[in-house]
Amino acid sequence: MIFRNLPDPSGPGPGLEKRLQSLEQQADIALPGFDGQFFNRAGDLCAESGDRPRALHYYGRAIDAYLRAGRYNAGGAVCRKVLRVSPGAVRARCTLAWLSIGKGLLGDARREIDEYVEAAVAAGEASLARRQLRLMAEASPDRGLRSVLADHLVKLGDPEEARRIAAAEPEETVEEAEALWSRVVRAALMGPDDLREAG
């Protein structure tokens, strides 16, 4: 016999606040690197209950926790959840671009950068996008990717920086390759306020 229309005991309902509080407590006592899963689940619960702003808040905390722990694939997966909830989410698109650069997935990086710039312009964050693109160019030794970044900078009104990036001879040393993930994580964790202060 199949039971239909029974409430899902793990889904949203009157106990949502209690479940969110429990997940927050579990995240507080979790070992570093394992707190992200609790924020991720809290985001899922909020998304299921239709509370989009809270879902995005928890997903953002999960992404940050995963990135700090070096769990880049998990962080990227949560970014994709954010985009299902809010397709215009600029920071999630930026993080995906950074992760693709860090992993050396150049085809993915080009696509992610294109989508990030489009979302940033639509959200009125072109000046922040220019700063991120400059940081991405500094982190990328690939001439083709630097050319893509320069093209976007021209479109965003920064032709001088685009020329500088296009003319520079990128060199990747072993030390730079080892430091890349540190730069990627630092940049991916930057919120708009951090980026304004840095620029």
Side-chain angles (χ1 to χ4, degrees), residues 97 100-101 105-116 142-146 148 152:
S100 294
I101 291 168
L105 303 173
L106 302 181
D108 289 348
R110 287 182 177 102
R111 180 178 45 76
E112 299 292 358
I113 290 166
D114 290 346
E115 292 174 1
Y116 162 60
D142 181 76
R143 183 180 297 281
L145 188 57
R146 290 168 62 88
V148 168
H152 279 298

Side-chain angles (χ1 to χ4, degrees), residues 4-131:
R4 296 174 191 230
N5 300 323
L6 292 177
D8 178 0
S10 65
L16 176 63
E17 292 305 320
K18 193 172 191 177
R19 285 180 286 188
L20 292 175
Q21 184 179 17
S22 173
L23 288 167
E24 293 239 14
Q25 290 169 346
Q26 291 175 69
D28 285 344
I29 61 172
L31 293 172
F34 294 94
D35 52 347
Q37 66 189 343
F38 299 109
F39 296 132
N40 185 19
R41 181 65 186 134
D44 290 344
L45 287 174
C46 291
E48 290 165 13
S49 71
D51 190 343
R52 187 178 141 212
R54 271 174 101 184
L56 294 173
H57 167 76
Y58 280 115
Y59 286 148
R61 291 177 73 183
I63 293 166
D64 289 349
Y66 284 140
L67 293 180
R68 284 189 191 101
R71 298 179 66 192
Y72 307 118
N73 290 337
V78 180
C79 285
R80 300 227 179 269
K81 278 187 185 184
V82 167
L83 295 176
R84 285 194 294 275
V85 173
S86 180
V90 176
R91 190 167 177 210
R93 292 198 182 278
C94 185
T95 299
L96 288 170
W98 273 111
L99 291 173
S100 294
I101 291 168
K103 292 177 183 178
L105 303 173
L106 302 181
D108 289 348
R110 287 182 177 102
R111 180 178 45 76
E112 299 292 358
I113 290 166
D114 290 346
E115 292 174 1
Y116 162 60
V117 171
E118 183 180 328
V121 169
E125 295 184 11
S127 65
L128 294 177
R130 285 192 295 269
R131 290 183 189 141

Side-chain angles (χ1 to χ4, degrees), residues 116-198:
Y116 162 60
V117 171
E118 183 180 328
V121 169
E125 295 184 11
S127 65
L128 294 177
R130 285 192 295 269
R131 290 183 189 141
Q132 283 285 13
L133 294 174
R134 288 191 293 262
L135 290 171
M136 289 175 186
E138 289 173 14
S140 177
D142 181 76
R143 183 180 297 281
L145 188 57
R146 290 168 62 88
S147 177
V148 168
L149 293 163
D151 288 346
H152 279 298
L153 283 166
V154 168
K155 292 173 193 169
L156 293 175
D158 196 349
E160 186 176 315
E161 185 66 17
R163 279 191 293 275
R164 186 191 69 75
I165 288 168
E169 282 297 324
E171 292 182 23
E172 182 177 21
T173 65
V174 173
E175 182 179 282
E176 287 174 343
E178 290 172 359
L180 175 60
W181 272 109
S182 175
R183 283 186 275 170
V184 165
V185 171
R186 202 169 43 250
L189 288 170
M190 283 184 157
D193 294 336
D194 300 321
L195 197 54
R196 283 186 193 93
E197 289 173 14

